[in-house]
Amino acid sequence: MPLIYILSPLVAFLLYILYHVLVAPRFNVLRTLPGPPVQKWFGNHLQHVLNPIVTPKVHEIFVQRYGRTVRIRGLGPWDERLLTLDPVSFTHIVKNTAIYEKPWQSRRLITSLIGCGMLSAEGQVHKRQRRVALPAFSAQNMRSLVDISFKKGIQLRDAWVDVLGSTTSARIDVCQFLSRTTFDVIGLAGFDYNFNSIRDETNELFIAYKDMFEVAISQGSMFRTLLSIYLPTINQLFPDNTVRTVQRCKEVIHRVAGRLIQEKKEKISEGEKSGDPYDGKDLLTLLLKSNASADLLPEQRISDDDILNNINTFMFAGSDTSSLSMTWTLFLLAQHPNIQDRLRTELLSIADKFPRDLSELTEDQVQSLHTALSGLPFLHNVTRESLRLIPPLHSTLRVATQDDEVPTMYPVHRRDGTVDGTKRSFTVPRGTFVHLSVEAFNLDKAVWGEDAWDFNPDRWDNLPEAAQQHPWHFSSILTFSAGPRACPGLRFALIEMKTLYYILLTNFVFKETEDKITKHNVVLTRPYLSGKFKDGTQCPLLVSRFTPT
Ligand code: HEM
Ligand SMILES: *[C@@H]1O[C@H](CO)[C@@H](O)[C@H](O)[C@H]1NC(C)=O
Ligand SMILES: *[C@@H]1O[C@H](CO)[C@@H](O)[C@H](O)[C@H]1NC(C)=O
């Protein structure tokens, strides 16, 4: 074969690469925006904007130097990205879901694990799934969650009482226990299935989910991950351990959860036939009923696969987020004993109205206990202050699927440092990755004042004007995002967390250990022992019994 046949595609390929690395970036309109310099030719700013240990400071410096519309470097010179620290731009981007999508790369990664559920779907598919799912999260459907959270909270209390035995205090990794608790809660609330993982971690389906989610956050080879995103067939041709694990987990989930879905369907149809409607309150039942409701058009209905993918999605999106948030709250309360005492006093103020032994409460009493809890102002303030200060999802990514003019609240700086005081917008070219930092807004000193980085639940007594300006999805913080793709599990999470705070704080006292705990952003912001990243996520605290006098 003449060499030319091999060479010309090769040369074309090289030219293509060179064009995108050297030439195209020079004409990218994003280049008119200011941004931090790149240290090495292949340097990037990903750690600067993703690592929660440095991001508060980095964002502050960026705003001082470049304003709130910043150009940063992604994987290489061909990958100029936008970091927006401007609230109006943020709103515009999360609102316009037709233009700004989640990048196909991250969607493919999520889909390869849990299937294409609400978290990774786009366009019509997403709209359909979300429409069917939202009724399941309504206030009246959350009643049974109160009961589930309460029962699981008591199991967790008992587990810690066992750990303590006759000692006065013990070092407990609260993160690991809370993670099992939220898994149990979402298992029951999601599809009426008891993992029983607080007691032991042997349930087959529990292990399948756990192992699969570990893959999502494992520190495997970055190269292999990228390769399998861009060339998924590589996984079929050369499966490695990760691929085999995921395969095994998927089989279990398909078999066990698939059976649960069929059983539910039978219960519902039996209920219809006998005239005694099945009244399951788990998300699976509600999803199936919602899909069957008369006011949906045929194209708005979802399939069996969609159902399974969304149950997987609830498991994935609803377990670690809540358990990490509770972990950080206990950690912050351990660091601030005064606030912990004040919160406990408030919680005990409603405890008198109910039997001393929590396991004796009737279902109605559990409901009225929860109603009392949701009316407690300091509990609410501590809950949202923790969610503000350490949002489990540090930041998220979008990609512009077409050129767009993005409005801003603050003037946009130019590359040469000058500022056009009148212009309040800038152009984003198609294909640009946009970093949306939840944390940056939650910790913005221009919004919250000089103490924005401190844990101060009392700030909510007297919120600055600027914080009230952007209600977002929840309480002026971006922790649950905003717009049409904001978290549907907000109410779910609040019920679960407040119930657990009540049970844990009226039974235990939390103190810091000698160990220093730091944050790392591995999909979510997780606690690690300082310098011991390899030991995995953990948050040991000194736990002792609290007995009211
Ligand atoms: C403290 C707890 C939680 C936090 C901080 C949280 C936060 C978030 C955030 C920030 C998003 C947007 C993600 C993005 O745009 O990239 C999201 C989406 C989502 N969350 Fe939550 N979440 C929590 C609990 C839950 C729970 C308990 C559930 C379900 C039971 C849930 C289900 C979902 C789903 C399905 C989505 C995707 C929505 C869509 O794309 O339309 N979340 N969550
Ligand atoms: C949703 O409803 C459609 C139309 O009734 C039906 O064909 C489909 O199987 C249903 N999906 C599930 C998961 O039951
Ligand atoms: C918590 O915040 C609310 C405002 O949302 C306020 O009414 C309440 O008194 C707060 N503070 C305390 C100490 O409970």
Short mmCIF file of all heavy atoms in Angstrom, two decimals, residues 114-173:
data_model
loop_
_atom_site.label_atom_id
_atom_site.label_comp_id
_atom_site.label_asym_id
_atom_site.label_seq_id
_atom_site.Cartn_x
_atom_site.Cartn_y
_atom_site.Cartn_z
N ILE A 114 -25.26 4.15 36.81
CA ILE A 114 -26.61 4.02 37.35
C ILE A 114 -27.69 4.12 36.29
O ILE A 114 -28.86 4.14 36.59
CB ILE A 114 -26.88 5.07 38.46
CG1 ILE A 114 -26.68 6.49 37.94
CG2 ILE A 114 -26.01 4.80 39.66
CD1 ILE A 114 -27.02 7.55 38.96
N GLY A 115 -27.28 4.19 35.02
CA GLY A 115 -28.27 4.32 33.95
C GLY A 115 -28.68 5.77 33.78
O GLY A 115 -28.31 6.63 34.58
N CYS A 116 -29.45 6.01 32.75
CA CYS A 116 -29.79 7.39 32.42
C CYS A 116 -31.05 7.81 33.18
O CYS A 116 -32.15 7.74 32.67
CB CYS A 116 -29.97 7.54 30.92
SG CYS A 116 -30.22 9.23 30.42
N GLY A 117 -30.87 8.24 34.43
CA GLY A 117 -31.99 8.74 35.24
C GLY A 117 -32.00 10.26 35.21
O GLY A 117 -31.32 10.88 34.38
N MET A 118 -32.74 10.85 36.14
CA MET A 118 -32.92 12.29 36.14
C MET A 118 -31.61 13.08 36.22
O MET A 118 -31.50 14.16 35.67
CB MET A 118 -33.77 12.66 37.36
CG MET A 118 -34.95 13.50 37.05
SD MET A 118 -35.48 14.31 38.52
CE MET A 118 -36.23 13.01 39.39
N LEU A 119 -30.65 12.51 36.91
CA LEU A 119 -29.39 13.22 37.12
C LEU A 119 -28.62 13.42 35.82
O LEU A 119 -27.95 14.43 35.64
CB LEU A 119 -28.53 12.41 38.11
CG LEU A 119 -27.49 13.14 38.94
CD1 LEU A 119 -28.08 14.26 39.73
CD2 LEU A 119 -26.79 12.14 39.86
N SER A 120 -28.70 12.44 34.91
CA SER A 120 -27.87 12.55 33.71
C SER A 120 -28.66 12.77 32.43
O SER A 120 -28.08 13.06 31.40
CB SER A 120 -26.98 11.32 33.56
OG SER A 120 -27.74 10.14 33.61
N ALA A 121 -29.98 12.64 32.48
CA ALA A 121 -30.75 12.84 31.25
C ALA A 121 -30.78 14.32 30.87
O ALA A 121 -30.57 15.19 31.70
CB ALA A 121 -32.17 12.31 31.44
N GLU A 122 -31.03 14.58 29.58
CA GLU A 122 -31.18 15.96 29.11
C GLU A 122 -32.44 16.06 28.26
O GLU A 122 -33.03 15.04 27.87
CB GLU A 122 -29.95 16.37 28.27
CG GLU A 122 -28.73 16.75 29.09
CD GLU A 122 -28.90 18.06 29.86
OE1 GLU A 122 -29.85 18.81 29.58
OE2 GLU A 122 -28.08 18.33 30.75
N GLY A 123 -32.83 17.29 27.95
CA GLY A 123 -33.90 17.54 26.99
C GLY A 123 -35.22 16.90 27.37
O GLY A 123 -35.61 16.87 28.54
N GLN A 124 -35.91 16.36 26.36
CA GLN A 124 -37.25 15.80 26.57
C GLN A 124 -37.23 14.63 27.57
O GLN A 124 -38.13 14.47 28.37
CB GLN A 124 -37.84 15.33 25.23
CG GLN A 124 -38.39 16.46 24.38
CD GLN A 124 -39.31 17.39 25.15
OE1 GLN A 124 -40.20 16.95 25.86
NE2 GLN A 124 -39.08 18.70 25.04
N VAL A 125 -36.20 13.81 27.46
CA VAL A 125 -36.11 12.65 28.35
C VAL A 125 -36.08 13.12 29.80
O VAL A 125 -36.78 12.59 30.66
CB VAL A 125 -34.84 11.81 28.04
CG1 VAL A 125 -34.74 10.63 28.98
CG2 VAL A 125 -34.85 11.36 26.59
N HIS A 126 -35.29 14.15 30.06
CA HIS A 126 -35.20 14.68 31.41
C HIS A 126 -36.54 15.26 31.88
O HIS A 126 -37.00 14.98 32.97
CB HIS A 126 -34.10 15.74 31.51
CG HIS A 126 -34.05 16.39 32.85
ND1 HIS A 126 -34.63 17.62 33.10
CD2 HIS A 126 -33.56 15.97 34.02
CE1 HIS A 126 -34.47 17.93 34.36
NE2 HIS A 126 -33.82 16.95 34.96
N LYS A 127 -37.15 16.04 31.00
CA LYS A 127 -38.44 16.66 31.33
C LYS A 127 -39.46 15.60 31.73
O LYS A 127 -40.18 15.74 32.71
CB LYS A 127 -38.98 17.41 30.11
CG LYS A 127 -38.46 18.82 29.99
CD LYS A 127 -39.55 19.77 29.43
CE LYS A 127 -39.00 21.16 29.23
NZ LYS A 127 -38.15 21.25 28.02
N ARG A 128 -39.50 14.52 30.93
CA ARG A 128 -40.47 13.46 31.16
C ARG A 128 -40.21 12.80 32.51
O ARG A 128 -41.11 12.62 33.32
CB ARG A 128 -40.32 12.44 30.03
CG ARG A 128 -41.34 11.34 30.03
CD ARG A 128 -41.28 10.61 28.72
NE ARG A 128 -40.02 9.89 28.57
CZ ARG A 128 -39.40 9.71 27.41
NH1 ARG A 128 -39.88 10.21 26.31
NH2 ARG A 128 -38.26 9.04 27.37
N GLN A 129 -38.95 12.48 32.77
CA GLN A 129 -38.62 11.80 34.02
C GLN A 129 -38.94 12.68 35.22
O GLN A 129 -39.47 12.23 36.22
CB GLN A 129 -37.15 11.42 34.03
CG GLN A 129 -36.80 10.45 32.91
CD GLN A 129 -35.49 9.75 33.16
OE1 GLN A 129 -34.76 10.11 34.05
NE2 GLN A 129 -35.20 8.77 32.35
N ARG A 130 -38.58 13.94 35.10
CA ARG A 130 -38.77 14.84 36.23
C ARG A 130 -40.26 15.05 36.50
O ARG A 130 -40.69 15.10 37.64
CB ARG A 130 -38.07 16.17 35.94
CG ARG A 130 -37.94 17.01 37.18
CD ARG A 130 -36.86 18.05 37.10
NE ARG A 130 -37.08 18.99 38.19
CZ ARG A 130 -36.20 19.26 39.14
NH1 ARG A 130 -35.03 18.69 39.14
NH2 ARG A 130 -36.49 20.10 40.10
N ARG A 131 -41.02 15.13 35.43
CA ARG A 131 -42.44 15.35 35.58
C ARG A 131 -43.11 14.17 36.31
O ARG A 131 -43.97 14.36 37.17
CB ARG A 131 -43.06 15.54 34.20
CG ARG A 131 -44.50 15.73 34.35
CD ARG A 131 -45.20 16.11 33.12
NE ARG A 131 -46.60 16.10 33.51
CZ ARG A 131 -47.52 16.83 32.98
NH1 ARG A 131 -47.21 17.62 32.00
NH2 ARG A 131 -48.75 16.75 33.42
N VAL A 132 -42.70 12.96 35.93
CA VAL A 132 -43.28 11.78 36.58
C VAL A 132 -42.81 11.69 38.04
O VAL A 132 -43.55 11.28 38.92
CB VAL A 132 -42.91 10.49 35.80
CG1 VAL A 132 -43.31 9.26 36.58
CG2 VAL A 132 -43.58 10.50 34.45
N ALA A 133 -41.57 12.12 38.30
CA ALA A 133 -41.01 11.91 39.64
C ALA A 133 -41.44 12.97 40.66
O ALA A 133 -41.59 12.67 41.84
CB ALA A 133 -39.49 11.88 39.56
N LEU A 134 -41.65 14.21 40.21
CA LEU A 134 -41.89 15.29 41.18
C LEU A 134 -43.05 15.04 42.16
O LEU A 134 -42.89 15.31 43.35
CB LEU A 134 -42.06 16.64 40.47
CG LEU A 134 -40.75 17.37 40.13
CD1 LEU A 134 -41.03 18.80 39.69
CD2 LEU A 134 -39.76 17.37 41.30
N PRO A 135 -44.19 14.52 41.68
CA PRO A 135 -45.28 14.29 42.64
C PRO A 135 -44.86 13.40 43.81
O PRO A 135 -45.38 13.55 44.92
CB PRO A 135 -46.37 13.61 41.80
CG PRO A 135 -46.07 13.95 40.39
CD PRO A 135 -44.59 14.15 40.30
N ALA A 136 -43.93 12.48 43.55
CA ALA A 136 -43.49 11.58 44.61
C ALA A 136 -42.83 12.34 45.77
O ALA A 136 -42.78 11.85 46.89
CB ALA A 136 -42.52 10.54 44.04
N PHE A 137 -42.32 13.55 45.49
CA PHE A 137 -41.62 14.31 46.52
C PHE A 137 -42.50 15.38 47.18
O PHE A 137 -42.01 16.24 47.89
CB PHE A 137 -40.38 14.98 45.91
CG PHE A 137 -39.30 14.00 45.57
CD1 PHE A 137 -39.19 13.48 44.29
CD2 PHE A 137 -38.39 13.58 46.53
CE1 PHE A 137 -38.19 12.57 43.97
CE2 PHE A 137 -37.39 12.68 46.22
CZ PHE A 137 -37.29 12.16 44.94
N SER A 138 -43.80 15.34 46.92
CA SER A 138 -44.68 16.36 47.48
C SER A 138 -44.77 16.22 49.00
O SER A 138 -44.46 15.18 49.56
CB SER A 138 -46.08 16.23 46.88
OG SER A 138 -46.68 15.05 47.39
N ALA A 139 -45.23 17.30 49.65
CA ALA A 139 -45.25 17.33 51.11
C ALA A 139 -46.07 16.18 51.69
O ALA A 139 -45.64 15.51 52.62
CB ALA A 139 -45.80 18.67 51.59
N GLN A 140 -47.26 15.90 51.11
CA GLN A 140 -48.08 14.86 51.73
C GLN A 140 -47.45 13.47 51.55
O GLN A 140 -47.65 12.59 52.38
CB GLN A 140 -49.55 14.91 51.29
CG GLN A 140 -49.84 14.69 49.82
CD GLN A 140 -49.84 16.03 49.07
OE1 GLN A 140 -49.03 16.92 49.36
NE2 GLN A 140 -50.72 16.18 48.10
N ASN A 141 -46.67 13.31 50.48
CA ASN A 141 -46.03 12.01 50.30
C ASN A 141 -44.79 11.81 51.18
O ASN A 141 -44.20 10.74 51.20
CB ASN A 141 -45.65 11.81 48.84
CG ASN A 141 -46.86 11.46 48.00
OD1 ASN A 141 -47.82 10.88 48.51
ND2 ASN A 141 -46.83 11.82 46.74
N MET A 142 -44.40 12.87 51.88
CA MET A 142 -43.21 12.76 52.72
C MET A 142 -43.57 12.28 54.14
O MET A 142 -42.69 12.10 54.97
CB MET A 142 -42.49 14.11 52.79
CG MET A 142 -41.77 14.49 51.51
SD MET A 142 -40.35 13.42 51.21
CE MET A 142 -40.69 12.82 49.58
N ARG A 143 -44.85 12.08 54.41
CA ARG A 143 -45.25 11.67 55.76
C ARG A 143 -44.57 10.37 56.21
O ARG A 143 -44.08 10.27 57.33
CB ARG A 143 -46.77 11.49 55.83
CG ARG A 143 -47.51 12.73 56.26
CD ARG A 143 -49.00 12.45 56.30
NE ARG A 143 -49.38 11.65 57.47
CZ ARG A 143 -49.70 12.16 58.64
NH1 ARG A 143 -49.69 13.47 58.81
NH2 ARG A 143 -50.03 11.39 59.65
N SER A 144 -44.54 9.40 55.30
CA SER A 144 -43.97 8.12 55.71
C SER A 144 -42.45 8.24 55.93
O SER A 144 -41.86 7.49 56.70
CB SER A 144 -44.27 7.04 54.68
OG SER A 144 -43.69 7.39 53.46
N LEU A 145 -41.85 9.22 55.24
CA LEU A 145 -40.41 9.42 55.44
C LEU A 145 -40.10 9.83 56.88
O LEU A 145 -39.07 9.46 57.44
CB LEU A 145 -39.91 10.49 54.47
CG LEU A 145 -38.44 10.83 54.62
CD1 LEU A 145 -37.57 9.65 54.21
CD2 LEU A 145 -38.08 12.05 53.79
N VAL A 146 -41.00 10.59 57.47
CA VAL A 146 -40.81 11.01 58.86
C VAL A 146 -40.68 9.77 59.74
O VAL A 146 -39.75 9.65 60.55
CB VAL A 146 -42.01 11.88 59.33
CG1 VAL A 146 -41.92 12.17 60.81
CG2 VAL A 146 -42.07 13.17 58.53
N ASP A 147 -41.58 8.84 59.52
CA ASP A 147 -41.59 7.62 60.31
C ASP A 147 -40.32 6.78 60.08
O ASP A 147 -39.69 6.29 61.02
CB ASP A 147 -42.83 6.82 59.90
CG ASP A 147 -43.27 5.90 61.01
OD1 ASP A 147 -43.30 6.37 62.16
OD2 ASP A 147 -43.55 4.73 60.71
N ILE A 148 -39.94 6.65 58.81
CA ILE A 148 -38.74 5.87 58.46
C ILE A 148 -37.50 6.50 59.09
O ILE A 148 -36.69 5.82 59.71
CB ILE A 148 -38.58 5.80 56.93
CG1 ILE A 148 -39.72 4.99 56.30
CG2 ILE A 148 -37.23 5.22 56.55
CD1 ILE A 148 -39.79 5.08 54.78
N SER A 149 -37.36 7.82 58.94
CA SER A 149 -36.18 8.50 59.48
C SER A 149 -36.12 8.31 60.99
O SER A 149 -35.05 8.12 61.57
CB SER A 149 -36.23 10.00 59.18
OG SER A 149 -36.44 10.22 57.82
N PHE A 150 -37.28 8.39 61.61
CA PHE A 150 -37.34 8.27 63.06
C PHE A 150 -36.89 6.87 63.51
O PHE A 150 -36.04 6.74 64.39
CB PHE A 150 -38.77 8.56 63.52
CG PHE A 150 -38.88 8.84 64.97
CD1 PHE A 150 -38.54 10.07 65.48
CD2 PHE A 150 -39.34 7.85 65.84
CE1 PHE A 150 -38.64 10.33 66.83
CE2 PHE A 150 -39.44 8.10 67.20
CZ PHE A 150 -39.09 9.34 67.70
N LYS A 151 -37.42 5.85 62.85
CA LYS A 151 -37.04 4.47 63.22
C LYS A 151 -35.56 4.23 62.99
O LYS A 151 -34.88 3.61 63.82
CB LYS A 151 -37.83 3.48 62.37
CG LYS A 151 -39.32 3.44 62.72
CD LYS A 151 -39.91 2.06 62.45
CE LYS A 151 -41.34 1.96 62.96
NZ LYS A 151 -42.33 2.52 62.00
N LYS A 152 -35.05 4.73 61.88
CA LYS A 152 -33.63 4.52 61.58
C LYS A 152 -32.76 5.32 62.55
O LYS A 152 -31.67 4.88 62.92
CB LYS A 152 -33.34 4.88 60.13
CG LYS A 152 -33.85 3.84 59.15
CD LYS A 152 -33.12 2.51 59.36
CE LYS A 152 -33.75 1.38 58.57
NZ LYS A 152 -33.11 0.07 58.87
N GLY A 153 -33.25 6.49 62.94
CA GLY A 153 -32.51 7.28 63.92
C GLY A 153 -32.38 6.52 65.24
O GLY A 153 -31.32 6.52 65.88
N ILE A 154 -33.45 5.85 65.63
CA ILE A 154 -33.41 5.07 66.88
C ILE A 154 -32.43 3.90 66.74
O ILE A 154 -31.65 3.61 67.65
CB ILE A 154 -34.83 4.58 67.25
CG1 ILE A 154 -35.67 5.79 67.64
CG2 ILE A 154 -34.78 3.58 68.39
CD1 ILE A 154 -37.11 5.47 67.93
N GLN A 155 -32.44 3.26 65.57
CA GLN A 155 -31.47 2.18 65.35
C GLN A 155 -30.03 2.67 65.45
O GLN A 155 -29.17 2.00 65.99
CB GLN A 155 -31.69 1.54 63.97
CG GLN A 155 -32.76 0.47 63.97
CD GLN A 155 -32.85 -0.21 62.61
OE1 GLN A 155 -31.90 -0.23 61.83
NE2 GLN A 155 -34.01 -0.78 62.33
N LEU A 156 -29.81 3.87 64.91
CA LEU A 156 -28.47 4.43 64.97
C LEU A 156 -28.11 4.75 66.42
O LEU A 156 -26.99 4.46 66.87
CB LEU A 156 -28.38 5.70 64.11
CG LEU A 156 -27.03 6.41 64.12
CD1 LEU A 156 -25.94 5.48 63.56
CD2 LEU A 156 -27.07 7.69 63.30
N ARG A 157 -29.05 5.31 67.15
CA ARG A 157 -28.81 5.59 68.57
C ARG A 157 -28.42 4.29 69.29
O ARG A 157 -27.42 4.23 70.00
CB ARG A 157 -30.06 6.18 69.21
CG ARG A 157 -29.91 6.44 70.71
CD ARG A 157 -31.24 6.47 71.42
NE ARG A 157 -31.95 5.19 71.34
CZ ARG A 157 -33.16 4.98 71.82
NH1 ARG A 157 -33.82 5.96 72.43
NH2 ARG A 157 -33.74 3.79 71.71
N ASP A 158 -29.19 3.23 69.05
CA ASP A 158 -28.90 1.96 69.71
C ASP A 158 -27.52 1.42 69.32
O ASP A 158 -26.81 0.87 70.17
CB ASP A 158 -29.98 0.93 69.37
CG ASP A 158 -31.34 1.33 69.96
OD1 ASP A 158 -31.36 2.23 70.83
OD2 ASP A 158 -32.36 0.76 69.52
N ALA A 159 -27.18 1.59 68.06
CA ALA A 159 -25.86 1.11 67.61
C ALA A 159 -24.75 1.85 68.34
O ALA A 159 -23.75 1.25 68.76
CB ALA A 159 -25.72 1.29 66.10
N TRP A 160 -24.90 3.15 68.54
CA TRP A 160 -23.87 3.91 69.24
C TRP A 160 -23.86 3.61 70.73
O TRP A 160 -22.81 3.61 71.36
CB TRP A 160 -24.04 5.42 68.97
CG TRP A 160 -23.57 5.78 67.58
CD1 TRP A 160 -23.03 4.92 66.66
CD2 TRP A 160 -23.61 7.06 66.95
NE1 TRP A 160 -22.74 5.59 65.50
CE2 TRP A 160 -23.08 6.91 65.65
CE3 TRP A 160 -24.05 8.33 67.35
CZ2 TRP A 160 -22.97 7.98 64.75
CZ3 TRP A 160 -23.93 9.38 66.45
CH2 TRP A 160 -23.40 9.21 65.16
N VAL A 161 -25.04 3.39 71.29
CA VAL A 161 -25.10 2.99 72.69
C VAL A 161 -24.32 1.68 72.87
O VAL A 161 -23.54 1.52 73.82
CB VAL A 161 -26.55 2.84 73.17
CG1 VAL A 161 -26.63 2.14 74.53
CG2 VAL A 161 -27.22 4.22 73.26
N ASP A 162 -24.47 0.77 71.92
CA ASP A 162 -23.71 -0.49 71.97
C ASP A 162 -22.21 -0.24 71.88
O ASP A 162 -21.42 -0.84 72.59
CB ASP A 162 -24.12 -1.42 70.81
CG ASP A 162 -25.47 -2.07 71.08
OD1 ASP A 162 -26.01 -1.87 72.19
OD2 ASP A 162 -25.99 -2.75 70.16
N VAL A 163 -21.81 0.62 70.96
CA VAL A 163 -20.38 0.93 70.82
C VAL A 163 -19.84 1.48 72.14
O VAL A 163 -18.76 1.12 72.59
CB VAL A 163 -20.12 1.94 69.69
CG1 VAL A 163 -18.65 2.36 69.67
CG2 VAL A 163 -20.53 1.37 68.34
N LEU A 164 -20.62 2.36 72.76
CA LEU A 164 -20.16 2.97 74.00
C LEU A 164 -20.08 1.95 75.14
O LEU A 164 -19.18 2.02 75.97
CB LEU A 164 -21.12 4.11 74.40
CG LEU A 164 -20.92 5.42 73.65
CD1 LEU A 164 -22.10 6.35 73.84
CD2 LEU A 164 -19.64 6.10 74.10
N GLY A 165 -21.00 0.98 75.16
CA GLY A 165 -20.99 -0.01 76.22
C GLY A 165 -21.01 0.67 77.58
O GLY A 165 -21.82 1.56 77.82
N SER A 166 -20.07 0.31 78.43
CA SER A 166 -20.06 0.92 79.76
C SER A 166 -19.04 2.06 79.85
O SER A 166 -18.87 2.65 80.91
CB SER A 166 -19.76 -0.14 80.81
OG SER A 166 -18.56 -0.79 80.44
N THR A 167 -18.36 2.36 78.72
CA THR A 167 -17.41 3.47 78.75
C THR A 167 -18.15 4.79 78.66
O THR A 167 -19.28 4.86 78.18
CB THR A 167 -16.42 3.39 77.56
OG1 THR A 167 -17.19 3.34 76.36
CG2 THR A 167 -15.54 2.17 77.66
N THR A 168 -17.50 5.86 79.11
CA THR A 168 -18.19 7.14 79.10
C THR A 168 -18.13 7.79 77.72
O THR A 168 -19.06 8.49 77.34
CB THR A 168 -17.58 8.12 80.13
OG1 THR A 168 -16.17 8.09 79.97
CG2 THR A 168 -17.99 7.76 81.54
N SER A 169 -17.03 7.57 77.00
CA SER A 169 -17.01 8.14 75.65
C SER A 169 -16.20 7.25 74.73
O SER A 169 -15.35 6.49 75.17
CB SER A 169 -16.46 9.56 75.67
OG SER A 169 -15.07 9.52 75.81
N ALA A 170 -16.51 7.34 73.44
CA ALA A 170 -15.80 6.51 72.46
C ALA A 170 -15.56 7.31 71.19
O ALA A 170 -16.28 8.28 70.90
CB ALA A 170 -16.63 5.27 72.13
N ARG A 171 -14.51 6.90 70.50
CA ARG A 171 -14.19 7.53 69.23
C ARG A 171 -15.00 6.81 68.15
O ARG A 171 -14.82 5.62 67.92
CB ARG A 171 -12.69 7.35 69.00
CG ARG A 171 -12.11 8.01 67.80
CD ARG A 171 -10.66 7.55 67.70
NE ARG A 171 -10.21 7.60 66.33
CZ ARG A 171 -9.47 8.59 65.85
NH1 ARG A 171 -9.08 9.56 66.64
NH2 ARG A 171 -9.12 8.59 64.58
N ILE A 172 -15.91 7.53 67.53
CA ILE A 172 -16.78 6.91 66.53
C ILE A 172 -16.65 7.65 65.20
O ILE A 172 -16.68 8.89 65.17
CB ILE A 172 -18.26 6.93 67.00
CG1 ILE A 172 -18.42 6.05 68.26
CG2 ILE A 172 -19.19 6.44 65.90
CD1 ILE A 172 -19.84 6.00 68.79
N ASP A 173 -16.48 6.89 64.14
CA ASP A 173 -16.49 7.50 62.81
C ASP A 173 -17.94 7.78 62.43
O ASP A 173 -18.63 6.93 61.89
CB ASP A 173 -15.82 6.56 61.80
CG ASP A 173 -15.90 7.11 60.38
OD1 ASP A 173 -16.29 8.28 60.22
OD2 ASP A 173 -15.58 6.35 59.44
#
